[in-house]
Amino acid sequence: MSEVTTIGLDIAKNVFHAHGADSTGRMVFSRKLSRGKLLNFFVSQPQCTVALEACGGAHHWARELQAMGHEVRLIPPAYVKPFVKRHKNDAVDAEAICEAAQRPTMRFVAVKTEEQQAAALVFRTRDLLVKQRTQLGNAIRGHLAEYGWVAPKGPSHLAMLADLLDDSDMSATLPEAARPMFAMMVDMLAELGKRVAALDKEIARRAREDEVARRLMTIPGIGPITATAIAAIAPPPETFAKGRDFAAWLGLVPKQASTGGKQKLGAISRMGERTLRRLLIIGSSAVVLQASRRGAPKGSWLDGMLARKPRMLVTVALANKTARIVWAVLTKQEDYRAPVAVAA
């Protein structure tokens, strides 16, 4: 039997499937495994390349397999799909993962440590609480509209609305059965606000203590949340050959539909890390808003863009530019130095 050099592993909660291939790509085995027997199976295998899809639980299994001496490669699921042959099942998926891992031009995802995943968890938790706060605020606003009370959008107006609900004149216009429900939602909203504020303080503390985060905060449009998120979530800068590759990983580059030598560019691809992309766009929108109100430095890139392009387009373009600056700052390990504006 040929020696196994690559194993494609299709992971799930309880049932796994391993597809082994030799150096020529010929199948050596295809085996179904239970969760309890997975690690024992790989202990008996010679040290080889093990490929998995970068999905839930993949980083945990990657760390376990690396501890056994195997070389682990995580592949984005979108890059595995073209190798799936006709019908989909665990065996076919494992074979497709094995085939994709053997391609010389395949791109892989860096395996994260437990500390990196723990550092990123604070942002996932904050995003969840902010979404719940927004959902609850919309629910309060929508239910009050049924009784003729309309409130503008925004957290500040919700705080005012909570004060009005305590007012006897407004409460008198609401049915008796609805008042305790509104009171419950208002209390939940206040509690969510406190938890988000506590997480903001924790993120700010981490930003002050982390050297990389402090360096990133020298870039305009990047504050404590974005800086610590980049430090925790983004892969090592040497993963990318240039800043544009990092911007493409974030999904901040245009889609291409080019053919026949004609270049056609569309909107940004949004095929990347959603959390960092959103934070960079939010930070860029703040920079563009201030430049629109107070004016950008004469002769600067931002000044020229605002003079001839719509503001939202400039915001996304600035987010792309900021992503490339982030890569340069991380690669050179230097603080950001603003370019000198040249007069036209």
Side-chain angles (χ1 to χ4, degrees):
M1 181 180 292
S2 302
E3 184 178 357
V4 175
T5 59
T6 307
I7 299 177
L9 180 62
D10 181 59
I11 62 176
K13 291 182 180 179
N14 298 308
V15 179
F16 301 76
H17 202 100
H19 179 96
D22 60 16
S23 57
T24 64
R26 190 187 305 274
M27 185 184 75
V28 177
F29 63 79
S30 181
R31 189 170 302 176
K32 180 180 178 181
L33 301 166
S34 65
R35 186 183 186 91
K37 297 180 179 179
L38 181 66
L39 295 181
N40 291 333
F41 170 78
F42 278 98
V43 167
S44 63
Q45 295 298 317
Q47 291 186 1
C48 59
T49 300
V50 183
L52 303 84
E53 284 186 331
C55 56
H59 292 276
H60 163 72
W61 292 114
R63 291 190 294 266
E64 294 289 336
L65 295 172
Q66 282 180 335
M68 298 179 186
H70 297 290
E71 180 185 357
V72 181
R73 294 180 174 178
L74 300 182
I75 308 175
Y79 294 166
V80 175
K81 189 175 181 180
F83 295 94
V84 176
K85 300 173 183 175
R86 289 185 179 269
H87 304 291
K88 183 186 184 304
N89 55 50
D90 293 345
V92 172
D93 287 346
E95 180 184 3
I97 295 170
C98 184
E99 180 71 22
Q102 293 177 317
R103 298 301 91 204
T105 58
M106 183 53 60
R107 299 174 183 174
F108 302 102
V109 177
V111 178
K112 294 181 181 178
T113 64
E114 290 183 347
E115 290 74 19
Q116 286 176 313
Q117 290 187 298
L121 187 59
V122 64
F123 304 101
R124 310 298 185 194
T125 305
R126 184 183 182 278
D127 281 347
L128 175 62
L129 295 182
V130 169
K131 288 177 182 177
Q132 290 178 342
R133 184 178 65 179
T134 303
Q135 182 182 22
L136 194 57
N138 290 338
I140 294 174
R141 189 181 291 107
H143 290 310
L144 281 175
E146 298 294 333
Y147 302 106
W149 293 94
V150 179
K153 295 181 180 180
S156 59
H157 295 103
L158 277 175
M160 177 189 67
L161 205 57
D163 295 336
L164 289 175
L165 283 169
D166 294 333
D167 187 79
S168 58
D169 293 337
M170 182 176 180
S171 298
T173 64
L174 300 175
E176 184 67 29
R179 294 172 196 169
M181 298 301 102
F182 280 116
M184 183 184 298
M185 287 190 285
V186 168
D187 291 341
M188 292 172 61
L189 190 66
E191 182 63 24
L192 285 172
K194 292 178 182 178
R195 292 183 182 272
V196 171
L199 287 176
D200 288 341
K201 290 181 180 179
E202 173 64 16
I203 291 172
R205 182 190 65 80
R206 295 187 184 190
R208 290 192 300 269
E209 296 176 355
D210 187 16
E211 182 183 357
V212 175
R214 292 198 303 270
R215 184 177 296 124
L216 289 172
M217 283 191 291
T218 61
I219 304 173
I222 293 186
I225 294 178
T226 307
T228 46
I230 293 172
I233 299 175
E238 56 270 16
T239 306
F240 308 98
K242 50 190 176 182
R244 191 184 185 283
D245 293 342
F246 179 63
W249 179 77
L250 293 171
L252 284 170
V253 295
K255 287 182 181 178
Q256 286 202 40
S258 305
T259 183
K262 296 180 180 179
Q263 190 180 48
K264 295 182 180 179
L265 301 180
I268 59 170
S269 66
R270 293 188 288 182
M271 297 179 182
E273 221 296 326
R274 290 179 294 179
T275 302
L276 297 183
R277 182 174 65 247
R278 186 180 72 249
L279 290 173
L280 285 176
I281 290 178
I282 291 173
S284 298
S285 66
V287 174
V288 171
L289 180 62
Q290 290 300 317
S292 300
R293 292 176 176 177
R294 301 178 182 178
K298 294 298 181 182
S300 64
W301 174 88
L302 185 57
D303 181 52
M305 287 289 289
L306 286 172
R308 63 182 188 272
K309 297 292 183 181
R311 196 166 75 179
M312 191 60 210
L313 189 149
V314 176
T315 298
V316 177
L318 180 59
N320 178 293
K321 188 178 181 69
T322 304
R324 287 179 280 157
I325 294 172
V326 166
W327 177 85
V329 167
L330 293 177
T331 303
K332 297 179 181 179
Q333 298 183 359
E334 298 177 355
D335 290 350
Y336 171 73
R337 298 190 300 271
V340 179
V342 179

